[in-house]
Every structure is written in C-alpha cells, then in structure tokens.
Amino acid sequence: MPEGDVVFRTAARLHAALAGHPIVASDLRHPRLALVDLSGRTVTECVPRGKHIMLRLSDGLTLHSHLKMDGSWWIYRPGQRWRTPGHQVRVVLTTDDVVAVGARLHDLEVVRTEDESSLVGHLGPDLLGPDWDADEAVRRLAATPERPIGLALLDQRNLAGIGNLYRAEVLFLRGVHPATPTGEVADLPALVKTAQRLLYANRSRVEQSTTGSLIRGQERYVYGRRGRPCLRCGTRITAEPLGSGAEGTDAERTVFYCTNCQPA
C-alpha cells in the first residue's frame, strides 16, 4: 500500500532513469488515452506530489498517475522480462536505455503541465515536498475540531502523504486514540512534526521502519500487529474499523492501536 515515502522513492527512480532522455515508444493502455502517443518527447523531470506522480515532458505535457492501494512503476532494460502480468500494465515508456512500466495505475491522465493544479491543487502541504508547511497543515487539521484525528490525518487535503500505516504509527507515538476529536488532541503541532519526521526517515529506504529497527516483526509499533503484544507495554494490539463505511475522505478503514498506550 504505497504511502508518501514510497511515492517519493518511485518518482526519484523514474526521474533517474528517464529525465533527459527522449521517449522512442509509448503505450498508454487506458481507454481514454489509447490514442495518445508520447513518443518523440523528452522527459524533463518526474516529481511526487503527496501520493501522486507527475512525469513532465518537454512540450509542456504531464503524465499523471496515482498508485492508490496497489499501483507500481518498474524500470527494465530493453528485452528484460517483466515481473508484472501484461494485463495489469497501464503504461509503457521506452527510451534507448530503459523501459518504464506502470502497473495497476489509477487516475491516469495526460494534461498540460500548467494545468496540473486541476489534479493536485486541492492537496494540503506535502510532507516530503518543497512546499511543506507544518503550520498550514496544523491549521487545516484544526479547522474541523470535531472530526476524529484518525480520519483527519488520512484526508490528503489537510496534509499529503499519510496513509494507514503512518496514521497508526504517528498516533501511537503521540499516545493518541484514533477516534479522539482533532480539537482535543493535546499537541497537534507535535503530532504533525512526528508525521513528517517518520516519512522523511523512510524516504530513501525500501524497508519501512517506524521503530528504528529492521528486525522482522519489530519494524512497526502497531500497524499490522492485530492481537500481538505492544512493543512498549505488552497489551494486545487492537484493530477495528474507523470511518463512515462510504466512499470518500472518511471511508471506513482499519485502525491499529494500543488500548493502554492510547486510551480513549
């Protein structure tokens, strides 16, 4: 489940492999984009924006993709066998040296670079971006004091890049129950600072760790550890749904927490 740090690394790999190179062949396997041909254009840069990836081209076009829950980008040498089944591939970009393959991509769009804001302009400050503004993130979170903090953190309009994993770990580290109204969180700026520090620490490594350990089973405090003992106090970790159950910013998702370290 890609979160802001995974998207950051993915964009960096794409940039390193494609920037400055002309596309000699392109294949966009999406009904709406099937007739779009990006060949002949040079990739100028690839940048992340929250959980979005913007691949910019020399003639002022941007190929936008969103990884959502299961998307990925792979870099291959020409002729190298793909790891991804062909029916899951949505984008193939070929240069003289590499083949970039996007699998299970969502919200795939080609827009003018100057119009990128129509796709990502609603996002809050990017935890790993040059626009990161902790005060603005706190302001946006605090604007709905009655909203559970566990829902507010996942709303990309407040701050961009947090997914279910980092939500759980940030709230554990700050001792906050996921259902706590945002207005009742004792130190919202400290919580936001913790979120940014966690993503920043993981931005360049494949093995995500919020505990500082890469030992299997000890990389995370609560996320994915339902029924296992809390690494801090030994209480069994609880996992339960939080949200409305409907689609949208407050869609139901499972939250993980320690009832002792994060009392209601």
Side-chain angles (χ1 to χ4, degrees):
M1 183 174 57
E3 303 202 19
D5 57 331
V6 175
V7 175
F8 182 91
R9 290 195 302 276
T10 300
R13 289 200 307 271
L14 286 170
H15 181 85
L18 299 175
H21 298 282
I23 297 172
V24 299
S26 77
D27 183 4
L28 305 185
R29 302 179 183 181
H30 188 288
R32 192 174 60 256
L33 303 176
L35 298 181
V36 176
D37 185 4
L38 301 180
S39 60
R41 298 172 171 87
T42 297
V43 177
T44 58
E45 62 180 341
C46 187
V47 299
R49 183 72 174 87
K51 297 184 181 183
H52 301 252
I53 293 177
M54 322 297 286
L55 196 150
R56 295 169 178 159
L57 305 169
S58 56
D59 65 346
L61 289 181
T62 293
L63 174 63
H64 161 267
S65 60
H66 195 301
L67 302 185
K68 289 202 173 177
M69 299 288 286
D70 57 352
S72 62
W73 278 93
W74 300 84
I75 302 296
Y76 300 100
R77 294 297 178 188
Q80 185 179 358
R81 184 175 180 179
W82 299 351
R83 298 185 184 184
T84 304
H87 70 274
Q88 295 180 351
V89 172
R90 298 293 175 264
V91 178
V92 183
L93 301 177
T94 304
T95 70
D96 288 333
D97 301 315
V98 303
V99 180
V101 177
R104 299 179 300 276
L105 300 178
H106 303 267
D107 300 339
L108 199 61
E109 303 281 353
V110 174
V111 299
R112 301 294 303 177
T113 300
E114 62 189 20
D115 296 330
E116 287 179 0
S117 62
S118 66
L119 301 175
V120 297
H122 64 287
L123 298 176
D126 186 339
L127 286 149
L128 294 178
D131 71 322
W132 172 241
D133 184 335
D135 292 338
E136 175 62 14
V138 170
R139 186 193 70 78
R140 292 189 180 209
L141 287 168
T144 52
E146 73 288 346
R147 193 180 190 187
I149 186 63
L151 298 180
L153 284 177
L154 286 191
D155 190 337
Q156 303 299 294
R157 297 172 300 182
N158 291 328
L159 62 174
I162 290 182
N164 211 17
L165 186 158
Y166 285 108
R167 167 179 70 171
E169 299 297 285
V170 167
L171 293 177
F172 174 82
L173 288 168
R174 297 304 308 170
V176 177
H177 190 282
T180 303
T182 298
E184 296 180 18
V185 174
D187 194 341
L188 203 54
L191 187 148
V192 167
K193 182 178 180 180
T194 300
Q196 200 275 336
R197 288 178 61 188
L198 283 186
L199 267 78
Y200 189 83
N202 283 285
R203 74 196 186 287
S204 299
R205 63 187 181 197
V206 175
E207 304 85 358
Q208 291 169 313
S209 173
T210 56
T211 64
S213 172
L214 295 178
I215 298 174
R216 186 164 184 170
Q218 297 182 19
E219 309 98 319
R220 299 160 191 163
Y221 288 105
V222 292
Y223 179 79
R225 304 189 71 247
R226 181 201 308 257
R228 299 177 64 187
C230 173
L231 296 180
R232 179 179 291 166
C233 73
T235 302
R236 298 290 178 181
I237 298 300
T238 296
E240 61 187 24
L242 177 68
S244 64
E247 293 296 324
T249 55
D250 286 352
E252 183 178 280
R253 299 277 295 279
T254 300
V255 290
F256 299 86
Y257 63 97
C258 173
T259 55
N260 182 56
C261 297
Q262 300 165 261

